[in-house]
Every structure is written in structure tokens, then in C-alpha cells.
Amino acid sequence: MVNNIPAGNLQLCAALLFSGSSFCQISKLLDAFKIQGISESCFHKHQAKLLIPTINWQWKIDQDDAIENAIANGAVTLGGDMRADSPGHSAKYGSYTMMDLKANRVIDIQLVQSNEVGNSQRMEKEGFERSLSLLEERGVVVQSLVTDRHTGVQKFMREQKKDIRHFFDPWHMGKGLGKKMDALSKGKGLQDVGLWRKSVVNHLYWSATTSTTGEEVVANWSSVANHIQNIHSHENTLFPSCLHEPLVGDQTRHWLKPSTAACEKFTAILLSPRLLKDMHKISPEYHTSGIECFHSLILKFLPKNVVFSFKGMLCRLQLAAMHYNENAGRSQASTADGDLRYSIVFPKFKHGEFIVRALKSNPTTGYIDKLMELLFHHVVEDPQPYLDFSGQMAVPEKLCAQFIRAEKEEAVSRHRSRFFKNT
Ligand SMILES: [Zn+2]
């Protein structure tokens, strides 16, 4: 017994939650193994009174450390992005992740419930604002910020945070461009456009990393519209000609013939005024792929088919952040003889081709040991301070089914009015 609680019960509940498992999974496993387990109500009781406060507390310690570390490294560059719990208009929760991009470390997470801000569309801006103001209040002086091109965030930065340099994430811009090219290449006689996908997206990354000013990025980037037509000198003093050697023999590409539909439509995408405008602000050094990794890691802690309460969800996000921060800098695995290990993978985007990837060493879970230690040596003995701390967190009013219904109806009517406008 620990403080009148059967220790094994508490240990099982803690192991279940801290490892990001769900009650349903673990009780199925125990049933199959014919091991007497715990009831769901017992789990929820321990979760609410002891486990969530333990996680909230430990995350605070980790976050303090991440903030101190960011401040010590000077000139902070943050990256931010939102993850919605379901696609489309009816997302109930959105979690906003702010990352210290230099340290590749999650520095803050804000969980926003859609009814707090009116609708799910506004969640991203809300999460972003809350996170930025929390970090600024804690003394972080942000020098630059990298996000996708979310308009609400852009407007806020332009109007309220003029002294922070706002950059757009090259990875998001490349993804958007790739999607447009995919859509275009499905058209009749336009399939050649698709053959350029990889090199055009690479050119976008190259333009971002090799330029020092916005004008230079645009000059480097715009040359691609000539290059695809086998024209390699450009009427631009900043980038007068391509840097590659003359392309002959095997190196010739599927050049597009000037004035054909494929060429005209493709060029219109590559040189669209909005893209050129945004290209001025493409991030030269940092990108937010770490946040993408973190967002896919969240799935291991928050399976999409399980329903969680606000606090249940928040503590699982904090667990995911602890896991990420402990393992983001993992080194490459090596054999007993000390040779570095690689693996061959067939990613979907390669359409059957393989790539060689450095194999990372196995992830560690030191944070679980820390949580267990905190739980059994401190929280169980005297839970009140931890409960009080956890209780300070603002929990929004429960989202009722009516609200989700209203939002769906609104989305349908928006869609209808657009449809009628267009017809
Ligand atoms: Zn060229």
C-alpha cells in the first residue's frame, strides 16, 4: 500500500498512461493473458487525482528548462504549427506546437477547444497568440518565427509584432506547390508537368537556402520558368544564368515547348504573384519539419479513434513533447563493431523507388522513470500541491454536440452560398 492505495494498481495505471497506451488496449491484453487487472473507474480516478497532476508538473519542469536553454542560446528562432484532431471544419480540438528551432525542442503546447474561439478556423491563430505571449511573458526575446502561410497568423505578425522577422516554412511551400503540380498534371496533355515535380520542389529549397535577400530568392526561383523550356540565361542581373553545366545526352530533360498549354499553365503556377510575394519571406535556414515529426509522434500518444477529455488530451500532448525532447537529438545506430547502420526504405512519395536512411538508435524513455519517481516519492505522499497546480490550468467549458452541429451547418451554408455565387 502507498498512502492507502494498492501500489500495484497505481503502478499499472501509471505505466499505462505514461507509456501513452489506452485503457482499452491494456485491459484487452490483460484479459487475454488472464491477469486480473483494474476497473476503468479505478483508472480514471487515479488518472484525475494523481497521474495528470504528475504529468503537468513534470512538463512544467521540462518547459522551464527548454525556455532557459532557449534564452541562454540567444536570438531565439521559433517555429509554430497547429494540429487539428480531425480534418475539415468540425475539429473539436487544435493543439498549437511552438518549437525552439535551434535546439529542435518543443517549447510550448497550447490546446484550444473550438468553442472557445467561435469556430475551428480561428483555433490556429488563437493557439499561436497564446503560445507567443506565454513565451514572451517568460522572458523569451523572439528574433524570428517560421510558420506556414496561415493568413490569420500573418496578419497578426504584420500588425502586432513588427520587430519579429516572420518567415514561411519552405517545406510547407514545397508541399503546396507539389500539390498544385499534381493537380495540373492530371489534365489532358499535361502529364509532362508531373515529371518536373521533384526538381522544381528541390529548386525551391535551393533558392531559399542560397539567397541572402528576398529579391535574390525571387530571382533564383523565377529562373525555373525558363529552365523548364531549356532556356538557361535569364533577364535578371541577380541571377543571369543557371549554374549547372550544359545539359547534353542523358541529361536532357522533358523540356516544355513554349506557348503550349502545359508550358503556359505550369509557368502561371511557378510565377503566380502570390507565390512570388511569399517567396520573399521563405525561411533561409530553419524549417518546421521537426514539428511535422512531432505531430506524427502525437498519434502514438493520442490515437485518433479514442475520445479524450480536455485534460486527458493535454497531458498526453505533454507526454509526447517529453518523448520528443528526449529523443530529437538521437544519434545514428551502430553495429557491435562500431559501423554506422542504415536501412533501405520504400517511401510512398518515391512511388516504389528506395532510399537509404540512417538508422537512428532506439528511443529512450527516461521521462517515464522521472514521472514514476515523482509520482511515488512525492505526489502520492502529498498530492494537494500538485492537484492545486494542475487545477490552475484553464479548462474550457465542455463542447456540446449542438455546437458541433451548428458549426457543420454553418460550413454547409457557406459552401452553398459559394456554390450559388459561382453558378
Ligand atoms: Zn537551367
Side-chain angles (χ1 to χ4, degrees), residues 69-134:
N69 183 62
I71 294 172
N73 281 341
V76 178
T77 299
L78 295 180
D81 200 8
M82 198 190 78
R83 173 187 178 275
D85 68 338
S86 64
H89 294 291
S90 55
K92 181 179 171 187
Y93 294 119
S95 58
Y96 199 89
T97 304
M98 204 67 108
M99 200 172 265
D100 173 359
L101 294 181
K102 271 190 199 165
N104 188 16
R105 211 165 155 183
V106 178
I107 194 167
D108 187 45
I109 306 165
Q110 292 292 328
L111 182 59
V112 185
Q113 191 172 292
S114 60
N115 65 337
E116 289 179 84
V117 288
N119 68 44
S120 54
Q121 295 294 305
R122 291 191 208 126
M123 286 196 291
E124 178 151 2
K125 182 170 165 270
E126 179 66 24
F128 167 76
E129 276 188 52
R130 283 186 200 175
S131 191
L132 186 65
S133 69
L134 178 139

Side-chain angles (χ1 to χ4, degrees), residues 19 23 36 41 93-94 117 143 188 190 201 212 215 249 251 271 289 304 323 332 353 357 370 372 393 417:
S19 63
F23 178 83
Q36 180 72 50
S41 61
Y93 294 119
V117 288
Q143 193 195 44
K188 202 170 165 237
L190 303 173
V201 173
T212 45
E215 284 71 32
Q251 294 166 316
L271 301 180
S289 60
K304 282 206 179 189
H323 185 100
Q332 192 174 345
E353 279 179 61
R357 199 170 267 172
K370 279 190 209 161
M372 286 289 189
M393 289 183 188
S417 66

Side-chain angles (χ1 to χ4, degrees), residues 230-272:
N230 200 15
I231 301 168
H232 308 285
S233 54
H234 319 293
E235 285 171 15
N236 192 320
T237 47
L238 289 172
F239 194 71
S241 61
C242 291
L243 300 180
H244 54 77
E245 300 290 318
L247 302 171
V248 286
D250 299 354
Q251 294 166 316
T252 50
R253 306 288 311 268
H254 290 267
W255 306 120
L256 300 182
K257 288 200 182 65
S259 309
T260 56
C263 185
E264 300 272 299
K265 288 185 176 167
F266 191 16
T267 312
I269 292 179
L270 297 172
L271 301 180
S272 87

Side-chain angles (χ1 to χ4, degrees), residues 333-352:
S334 54
T335 63
D337 297 335
D339 294 330
L340 292 176
R341 293 179 61 193
Y342 294 89
S343 65
I344 289 175
V345 286
F346 295 85
K348 211 168 118 197
F349 67 86
K350 279 278 181 176
H351 305 292

Side-chain angles (χ1 to χ4, degrees), residues 3-251:
N3 212 0
N4 284 329
I5 301 165
N9 286 2
L10 185 57
Q11 222 158 2
L12 179 58
C13 294
L16 190 166
L17 180 63
F18 297 166
S19 63
S21 314
S22 73
F23 178 83
C24 182
Q25 273 171 342
I26 297 298
S27 66
K28 262 200 286 188
L29 174 103
L30 294 176
D31 281 351
F33 215 170
K34 303 289 175 217
I35 296 175
Q36 180 72 50
I38 40 161
S39 69
E40 192 163 2
S41 61
C42 170
F43 170 71
H44 284 294
K45 189 181 76 190
H46 290 325
Q47 177 176 257
K49 292 215 151 70
L50 298 166
L51 305 180
I52 290 180
T54 304
I55 296 168
N56 293 160
W57 189 275
Q58 185 62 43
W59 170 244
K60 187 197 170 293
I61 296 173
D62 279 25
Q63 186 181 29
D64 286 347
D65 187 60
I67 290 175
E68 248 174 62
N69 183 62
I71 294 172
N73 281 341
V76 178
T77 299
L78 295 180
D81 200 8
M82 198 190 78
R83 173 187 178 275
D85 68 338
S86 64
H89 294 291
S90 55
K92 181 179 171 187
Y93 294 119
S95 58
Y96 199 89
T97 304
M98 204 67 108
M99 200 172 265
D100 173 359
L101 294 181
K102 271 190 199 165
N104 188 16
R105 211 165 155 183
V106 178
I107 194 167
D108 187 45
I109 306 165
Q110 292 292 328
L111 182 59
V112 185
Q113 191 172 292
S114 60
N115 65 337
E116 289 179 84
V117 288
N119 68 44
S120 54
Q121 295 294 305
R122 291 191 208 126
M123 286 196 291
E124 178 151 2
K125 182 170 165 270
E126 179 66 24
F128 167 76
E129 276 188 52
R130 283 186 200 175
S131 191
L132 186 65
S133 69
L134 178 139
L135 292 170
E136 287 185 329
E137 272 165 31
R138 302 279 294 274
V140 178
V141 180
V142 185
Q143 193 195 44
S144 43
L145 170 81
V146 184
T147 66
D148 63 9
R149 298 184 283 167
H150 187 276
T151 45
V153 172
Q154 278 189 54
K155 184 164 181 280
F156 175 79
M157 291 301 291
R158 202 168 53 234
E159 290 171 358
Q160 320 254 338
K161 297 282 169 191
K162 290 195 184 81
D163 41 347
I164 299 177
R165 290 197 71 187
H166 186 201
F167 293 108
F168 298 139
D169 177 40
W171 186 84
H172 275 96
M173 287 181 74
K175 191 171 139 191
L177 189 67
K179 272 189 184 164
K180 280 193 179 143
M181 289 176 66
D182 286 346
L184 182 63
S185 63
K186 287 197 180 99
K188 202 170 165 237
L190 303 173
Q191 59 275 26
D192 277 3
V193 171
L195 302 169
W196 285 95
R197 193 187 200 280
K198 194 178 143 200
S199 37
V200 163
V201 173
N202 282 342
H203 181 72
L204 181 130
Y205 297 155
W206 176 84
S207 307
T209 50
T210 52
S211 313
T212 45
T213 64
E215 284 71 32
E216 221 179 299
V217 182
V218 174
N220 291 359
W221 165 251
S222 309
S223 69
V224 77
N226 283 337
H227 178 90
I228 56 166
Q229 304 175 52
N230 200 15
I231 301 168
H232 308 285
S233 54
H234 319 293
E235 285 171 15
N236 192 320
T237 47
L238 289 172
F239 194 71
S241 61
C242 291
L243 300 180
H244 54 77
E245 300 290 318
L247 302 171
V248 286
D250 299 354
Q251 294 166 316

Side-chain angles (χ1 to χ4, degrees), residues 323 326-335 340-342 357-365:
H323 185 100
E326 182 171 328
N327 289 290
R330 240 173 333 142
S331 57
Q332 192 174 345
S334 54
T335 63
L340 292 176
R341 293 179 61 193
Y342 294 89
R357 199 170 267 172
L359 204 64
K360 291 273 180 76
S361 50
N362 284 332
T364 56
T365 52

